[in-house]
Every structure is written in C-alpha cells, then in structure tokens.
Amino acid sequence: MVRSGSAAVEVVLSEDERGELVRRLGDVDRRVVERARIVLAAAEGLSNPEVAASVGVSLRTAGRWRRSFARGRLAGLEDAAPSGRSKAAELVLSEPERVQLERWARRAKTAQFLALRARIVLRAAEGGTDRRVAAELGVDESTVLRWRTRFTERRLDGLSDEPRVGRPPSILLDQVEDVIVATLETTPGADTHWSRASMAKRTGLSPSTIGRIWKRFDLKPHLQDSFKLSTDPQFVAKVVDVVGLYHNPPEKAVVLCVDEKSQIQALDRSQPVLPMMPGMPERRTHDYLRHGITSLFAAFNIADGTVIGELHRRHRAIEFRKFLVSIDKAVPAGLDVHLVCDNYATHNTPEIRIWLERHPRFHVHFTPTGSSWINQVERWFGLLTDKLIRRGVHTSVQALETDIRTWIDTWNRDPRPFTWTKTADEILASLADYLTKINPSAANNKANLASEISDGEH
C-alpha cells in the first residue's frame, strides 16, 4: 500500500475485514456506516484530509477511526464502555417478596407512596433500566435508583421510610396505616361512615391527629359523590360513534346535540331575596311557591355553539316531533343533520321513526344508556341552570319562559362552542383503569375494552 501523508497510518485490509466493512455500509446506525467508510477510504491509500473530504467528516474524526482500526482492527471501531456509574446489578425477587410487592402495588387502598415503591421494584426485577422504569412510572430516575438500592440492601424493610432527624414522631407508621385501612375498609358499627371522634375512640389517637392523617391522605369520609356506570351492551360502539362525530364531523353536515330539560319549575320565594353585602352572601328563604312547570327542547351546534331552543308545557313525542320540524326549518336544506341524543322514550316512538324516515337527511346517534355526560348539550343546560334557573325568581310560567328565551338569544349573540379533548380510546382506557382500581380481579378490562374499540372502528 502507498503511504499517504506523513501523519497517516497505513491501513491494509484482509479479505474478511473488507467483507465485514462492506457489510456494515448497510447498517441502520449512521455511526457504524461512517466508520466503515473511513477505513475503506484509508485502505485505498487516501490521506486523512482526503478521507475526511470523501466521507464528509472532520479531519479529527477521520484520523481517530483510522488510528483506532490500526490498533484494534474491527474491534477498534466499537464504542468504548461509558465511564461513571456502573450498570445496575440484577435484582432477583424471592416468591414471598414478589407476592408481597404485588399486593402492595395492586391494592388500591394501600398508602400510595408504598404502592409506587413496590411498582418500582417489580419493574426493576423484570429487567428494566432505571431510565426505562422512571419513564414508565412517571418519576425521576434518581427515585428509581434510590428504591432499587434500598431494596437491594434491606429487601422489603428498605421500602419503609427511615426515621428522620429531630424528635421521634409520636405517631408511628403502623398507627397511620391502621387509621387509613380502617377508614377505607371498615365502618363504625351501625354508622355509615367514620367521624374524627369515632376514629379517635377506636385508635386511641386524638381527633386532631385523625384530622391531620385524613388531610395528609386526602380522605373525606363525610363526603359522598354520585356515579353511574353504563350497562348498555353497545357502550363501546356508541362512545366511538359519538366521540368520532365530535372530533371528525362529516362534511356538508351539522352536528346537533339534542335533549330536553323537562319540568323546569317557576319558583317564587316566600319572602323577598336579601341582596349580597360585604361579608354576607345573598340570602333567600328555604321555602318557595310553585307557579307551574315548562320544558325546554334544545339543540346545541358543536361547530359554533349556537342553540336552537323551543319551550313546551308538555314533554311528549308530539312536542319532540314539533322540535324536529323547527330544526329542519332552521338548518339550510343543503346540509345533513346529525343528532346526538339519549335513549329517552320520546326519541324512539313509531311516530318519531316515521318522521325520520320521511326526512333522510336526519341521522340519529344515540348516547349510551346512563351516559348523559357525553352529550354536549347537557353542559350547556348546566350553564343555563347555574346562571338563570337555580337562583331565579319567577311568579309565573310565562315569566320563566320569557327569561329563558332572552337568555338563549343573549347566548346566540356571542356563542361559545365547547372543545371536546378526549378520544374514545382515552375515555375507555380511563374507565378500565378505574374499574381495575376498585376491583383488582377486573384487571383484564383494559384489554377487553381495547379489543372492543378495535371491533367498533372496523
């Protein structure tokens, strides 16, 4: 070979080395391809500046990999092992340890700090790196390293909090866990829920201590919220259908969310309402006088937020058909009309079905049973209730209807559409996660819902 340049290292290739370097030219890693091209060019007798120009790298890079190959041949082209912290030692669990960690991680009523640490150790035992485990669990990499190391050194005991400096805590961790477990899993005799006094009597702690523990873990036994899980056998398909309309409305069509707010009462207080003053809210009497009811039929346009509203004294299929006629007149003739509505009886009578058949531009999309939250007009009804009906005073049905019509006209002068953010996949995955938390045996719900989503999309 010809030696090119005083600083160039002579490169002579064997047939096997040349074949391996040629093979590396097809590698997906850009760095592997670059180093192979440098050595092949050097083997042709080019100087370092010529190699750098030919491959498109710096003179320093060309000289580095030329010398590395001369010293170590093909092995010299590999990246050196990174310096610094060594690779985390393999974490091996015994069967009792695995069972205990899975119980801590799966049990929804375990203190969440302990559940997170158990999940970290379980992921690490599956072979995950600190970086990967941190990404999966949404924590910092240093947190994963800390609890992996603590478990390696002290096993299960290492996942408990260490004593802090200063005065020893008067309340032990076991006592705190006892309060949390008792609050979540038991009731005080014939009572339906715990109070600070009853829990203090059970545990021997002071009521103020019980209050601090509950506040720390965001427990509020005195509060109760409402919920309803849909039992509709077509729940997944309907969610996919309705949410698909929100995210991808069809062209040359209007999507209207339709429903009725029935039996709106015209209420008058037994005494005049006292106005708000500094340091004192508005006050009104707890009793009231009824002056009749009315029903509001409303269609909320998801594109621009405008509302088509119509008031009727009765709430039957006849009134709903009249409202459909009003929608038909309000929407331009060249557009299809997609209605999102619930499964209320008045929406699905023979009379309504016949009317829809005679108006083929109307397409009805039913929400799942017990899932009014998916209908955007319900959110608009909430605004109407908060801003007009709940605190309104009306001495007659006519006065109530006049105020509602005025409120709708005001809304339509400056309409505000709602932005639907969640996809059907996210809604169903969130539901599956919730079911898994309240019922660990339902761990397969997410997979089942995912397969149903796929079936529904096809």
Side-chain angles (χ1 to χ4, degrees), residues 31 39 80 91 144 231 266 270 319 355 445:
R31 296 173 301 173
V39 175
L91 200 159
V144 178
T231 57
S270 60
E319 283 74 30
W355 190 93
N445 279 340

Side-chain angles (χ1 to χ4, degrees), residues 54-110:
S54 173
V55 180
V57 297
S58 67
L59 179 61
R60 181 179 179 182
T61 300
R64 173 191 175 188
W65 294 111
R66 182 177 195 145
R67 291 190 298 272
S68 294
F69 180 81
R71 288 194 301 267
R73 313 308 293 177
L74 291 173
L77 300 183
E78 304 296 334
D79 286 318
S83 59
R85 190 170 61 219
S86 59
K87 182 180 179 181
E90 183 180 3
L91 200 159
V92 180
L93 302 176
S94 66
E95 190 58 29
E97 288 174 337
R98 184 178 298 278
V99 171
Q100 180 63 41
L101 289 169
E102 289 177 348
R103 187 172 72 86
W104 284 343
R106 185 175 61 245
R107 188 177 177 209
K109 298 175 181 178
T110 300

